[in-house]
Amino acid sequence: MTTTASRPAVKVAGLRKSFGDHVVLDGIDLEVAAGTVFALLGPNGAGKTTAVRILSTLIGADGGEVSVAGHDLAGDPEGVRGAIGVTGQFSAVDDLLTGAENLVLMADLRHLGRVEGRRLAAELLARFDLVGAAGKRVGTYSGGMRRRLDLAMTLVGDPRVIFLDEPTTGLDPRSRRTMWEIIRELVGDGVTVLLTTQYLEEADELADRIAVIDHGRVVAEGTPGELKSRVPGGHVRLRFPDTAGLDAAAAVLGEVSRDEDDLVLQVAGDGGVRALRDLLDRLDRAGTEVAELSIHTPDLDDVFFALTGQPTTEKDGAR
Amino acid sequence: MTTLSRTATDSATMLRRNLRHVLRFPDVLLMSLGLPVILLLLFVGVFGSALGAGLGGAAHGGPYIDYLVPGIVIMSAGYGATTTALAVNKDMTEGIIARFRTMAISRSSILIGHVVAATTRTLVSVGLVLVVALLMGFRPAADLGAWIAAIGVLTLLVLALTWLAVAIGLAARNAEGVSMFTLLVQVLPFTSSAFVPPDSMSGAVRWFAEHEPFTPVIDTLRGLLLGTPVGGDAGAAVAWCVGIALGGYLWAKALFKRDPTG
Ligand SMILES: Nc1ncnc2c1ncn2[C@@H]1O[C@H](COP(=O)(O)OP(=O)(O)O)[C@@H](O)[C@H]1O
Ligand SMILES: [Mg+2]
């Protein structure tokens, strides 16, 4: 059988889910092309995990159509399970077994046979830099090692579609980089990856396409470049020592967005030298003193802010 | 692969996993021996003669240890069940069961693996308690048939407690949630015929001791091991065990099927 390039690996239409009267997914549409990385980007509580749990057959949906690797989720969940690999938000590894035993367990459950199971376990341990810890109990592993083992276990049996729920949350920067490299390699092998993240930077780094979700809805979808282009331009951020300064500057500058609590004004503009000099001249003439100035080029954070009117959790310092 | 052979293969894999846990942490098995053996020493060594004298005909003229051992053996089965509930709960809360559920495996193998491993482990610890009892002077008078019947009753009880423990482990939100069950299986033997016959108790406690499930099971086991008549207790014991096993099984199955929450 040849797979046609146009056939999406994951197709979701009108997906809905509520817990009681709390609507968590409010009609989600997604299409993930085979062999690409798709990021579901959203703050804590947006419904990312709920979506992954539905797509991986763990919980049922209240409505909508889903197909994964050509299998209908509702009609053929067993077919879906045969095609996917899942790494959940929290590591699901057997603490009491060793890393190698965890991998062999997965191989046994995929019916790969004893010899092939061991060979594959050894190969994955090497690939995920776990050879030294292969014979140690997973209970003694660091967070990054557990995460890597978790992903290695997901790869046993060569799933064609992989779901990764916040694969790097809680990892130190170095482990995060390693994880990114591993994910890029997977896609090189033709695997389709659907990942969720709260980190705009991560989606930007990894994804071919991004869906921004907020309160159970897709509020934007596109390539990282497309999303960035939806924010008209950058801005200059000015912080003032007191409210009087803020007021005076606001009066001079006209149309600006202001943040009373932080004593900050945001002036639209790309931060070019001319525009910047002009801005400072006007403030000078009005006699206002600026405590701090920063130039902001548009990034996905701005996209999120522009689309939802809220900063992401990341900005709240939740990282 | 047919559904049946897949269930068998996957159950064997799950069983290996669970038995490996037991072998890797033999202290869990030893711990489950600890308290029954301490109780055995305490009751035989410290209270034995006083209790034995007080029992009169109930001990059938034999030493108090002969009366006591069936109850202690049942207690160790209770401890085994506690371990089982905690093991299932750990699997549940640590997400490995969620991982298994996203794989194309036989789902029933997850519970079958636990039940078979737990039953085996508990029967081994029950056997070890019996060995200690024999070393301490327990002298059963059972013939081969009675031994087989006794092992049958014990296995049935262990199976019943195991299914109940699996359901409790699935239902509890965390390890603390299992503690009510732990308390129950540890306290119930004290208010049964394990240490003294209910006749010697008073009022409500006596009524309770006469009607709770551990009493007929212990009395049946005692009758079989000491070679005394078993009577109607056997029927009650089997009925209780089958009831608990079936209830536990159906409860566990329903819990396992539902959408996992949280
Ligand atoms: N089993 C559940 N029962 C009730 N509410 C839930 C359940 N799972 C998730 N929720 C709620 O659904 C919302 C989305 O959760 P989740 O999908 O975990 O978001 P995310 O992964 O994006 O942080 C949250 O408000 C959460 O409290
Ligand atoms: Mg989540």
Side-chain angles (χ1 to χ4, degrees):
Chain A
M1 197 179 78
T2 54
T3 44
T4 43
S6 58
R7 190 180 195 180
V10 180
K11 192 164 160 48
V12 176
L15 186 63
R16 313 180 62 81
K17 176 77 181 178
S18 306
F19 292 108
D21 38 358
H22 179 188
V23 178
V24 176
L25 297 179
D26 194 9
I28 298 257
D29 302 309
L30 302 171
E31 226 178 271
V32 183
T36 65
V37 181
F38 191 98
L40 277 184
L41 171 65
N44 230 332
K48 303 182 295 297
T49 297
T50 305
V52 169
R53 281 155 63 93
I54 293 172
L55 294 183
S56 56
T57 78
L58 272 177
I59 58 175
D62 295 340
E65 304 265 307
V66 178
S67 86
V68 177
H71 303 276
D72 178 49
L73 186 74
D76 182 17
E78 198 63 22
V80 173
R81 283 181 213 126
I84 62 171
V86 186
T87 297
Q89 184 168 353
F90 303 101
S91 307
V93 293
D94 189 332
D95 268 348
L96 306 181
L97 300 183
T98 67
E101 285 168 343
N102 267 283
L103 289 166
V104 170
L105 173 67
M106 289 299 116
D108 287 347
L109 291 174
R110 298 267 192 196
H111 310 129
L112 296 185
R114 185 141 294 244
V115 177
E116 169 61 9
R118 290 195 177 182
R119 190 199 61 73
L120 186 62
E123 180 192 311
L124 285 166
L125 287 165
R127 177 165 164 202
F128 285 75
D129 195 16
L130 290 168
V131 174
K136 295 207 180 81
R137 275 203 301 117
V138 173
T140 66
Y141 283 21
S142 71
M145 289 160 76
R146 293 170 70 86
R147 216 61 198 140
R148 292 207 299 279
L149 177 66
D150 199 335
L151 184 51
M153 286 165 72
T154 301
L155 299 187
V156 173
D158 262 334
R160 299 321 292 156
V161 178
I162 293 180
F163 299 125
L164 305 174
D165 195 3
E166 302 202 18
T168 68
T169 301
L171 295 189
D172 58 80
R174 205 177 129 246
S175 306
R176 172 170 302 162
R177 297 259 155 212
T178 315
M179 203 54 126
W180 285 356
E181 271 161 38
I182 292 169
I183 294 169
R184 287 199 193 99
E185 273 173 34
L186 287 180
V187 183
D189 300 342
V191 173
T192 307
V193 177
L194 187 142
L195 62 86
T196 78
T197 180
Q198 303 187 34
Y199 305 141
L200 305 151
E201 183 197 359
E202 181 161 283
D204 199 3
E205 281 277 339
L206 294 176
D208 297 301
R209 293 185 77 81
I210 299 171
V212 182
I213 65 170
D214 187 44
H215 292 103
R217 286 172 173 279
V218 176
V219 292
E221 211 256 56
T223 64
E226 277 166 10
L227 290 186
K228 283 187 208 168
S229 73
R230 292 180 63 166
V231 178
H235 61 259
V236 177
R237 233 173 101 90
L238 301 165
R239 197 166 61 77
F240 297 89
D242 50 35
T243 322
L246 184 79
D247 287 340
V252 182
L253 297 176
E255 200 165 306
V256 291
S257 78
R258 57 191 283 168
D259 181 336
E260 305 284 345
D261 294 339
D262 292 347
L263 300 171
V264 161
L265 290 183
Q266 291 193 1
V267 186
D270 56 7
V273 177
R274 272 192 85 117
L276 208 54
R277 185 179 298 141
D278 181 49
L279 178 72
L280 291 175
D281 280 348
R282 280 158 73 194
L283 288 172
D284 241 5
R285 260 178 269 132
T288 40
E289 197 172 318
V290 179
E292 192 184 301
L293 176 149
S294 59
I295 298 165
H296 215 69
T297 47
D299 63 12
L300 289 170
D301 242 349
D302 299 302
V303 177
F304 202 86
F305 189 75
L307 292 166
T308 67
Q310 288 162 13
T312 62
T313 4
E314 191 185 11
K315 274 193 172 169
D316 297 335
R319 186 181 276 214
Chain B
M1 213 185 279
T2 66
T3 314
L4 195 65
S5 78
R6 204 177 66 169
T7 304
T9 311
D10 291 347
S11 299
T13 302
M14 294 297 181
L15 178 62
R16 271 203 305 281
R17 164 177 183 257
N18 289 307
L19 288 179
R20 191 165 271 159
H21 287 171
V22 178
L23 294 177
R24 184 125 327 149
F25 297 93
D27 36 326
V28 174
L29 195 65
L30 290 177
M31 282 286 283
S32 71
L33 292 183
L35 204 80
V37 169
I38 288 171
L39 285 174
L40 205 56
L41 290 170
L42 191 69
F43 275 79
V44 172
V46 181
F47 310 127
S49 48
L51 284 169
L55 284 180
H60 310 290
Y64 179 61
I65 190 168
D66 287 352
Y67 179 86
L68 181 64
V69 166
I72 296 289
V73 161
I74 297 289
M75 285 192 93
S76 68
Y79 281 103
T82 310
T83 309
T84 307
L86 285 172
V88 172
N89 189 250
K90 186 171 151 68
D91 269 10
M92 205 61 185
T93 53
E94 285 184 353
I96 193 110
I97 289 190
R99 159 164 258 154
F100 292 149
R101 280 171 188 272
T102 66
M103 300 176 69
I105 62 170
S106 145
R107 291 199 157 189
S108 47
S109 72
I110 302 170
L111 294 189
I112 293 174
H114 264 298
V115 167
V116 177
T119 305
T120 310
R121 186 199 66 233
T122 308
L123 282 173
V124 167
S125 73
V126 163
L128 291 174
V129 168
L130 263 178
V131 169
V132 174
L134 287 169
L135 292 175
M136 285 177 61
F138 173 54
R139 290 293 169 263
D143 56 18
L144 186 65
W147 267 111
I148 291 172
I151 290 169
V153 169
L154 263 173
T155 307
L156 193 60
L157 176 78
V158 169
L159 202 62
L161 288 177
T162 299
W163 271 114
L164 187 61
V166 167
I168 301 274
L170 291 174
R173 291 214 151 267
N174 48 37
E176 284 74 49
V178 174
S179 59
M180 259 319 284
F181 176 67
T182 308
L183 196 67
L184 195 76
V185 292
Q186 291 182 4
V187 166
L188 279 182
F190 282 98
T191 57
S192 76
S193 63
F195 298 100
V196 291
D199 301 351
S200 62
M201 303 174 187
S202 59
V205 179
R206 174 177 176 170
W207 184 89
F208 185 80
E210 278 169 350
H211 292 89
E212 69 136 290
F214 279 109
T215 296
V217 179
I218 291 172
D219 288 349
T220 304
L221 201 59
R222 189 179 286 131
L224 290 169
L225 291 180
L226 301 186
T228 54
V230 171
D233 288 329
V238 171
W240 269 112
C241 288
V242 170
I244 293 172
L246 203 64
Y249 166 75
L250 292 175
W251 187 21
K253 207 172 133 184
L255 286 170
F256 194 67
K257 261 190 160 167
R258 75 170 176 192
D259 276 2
T261 49

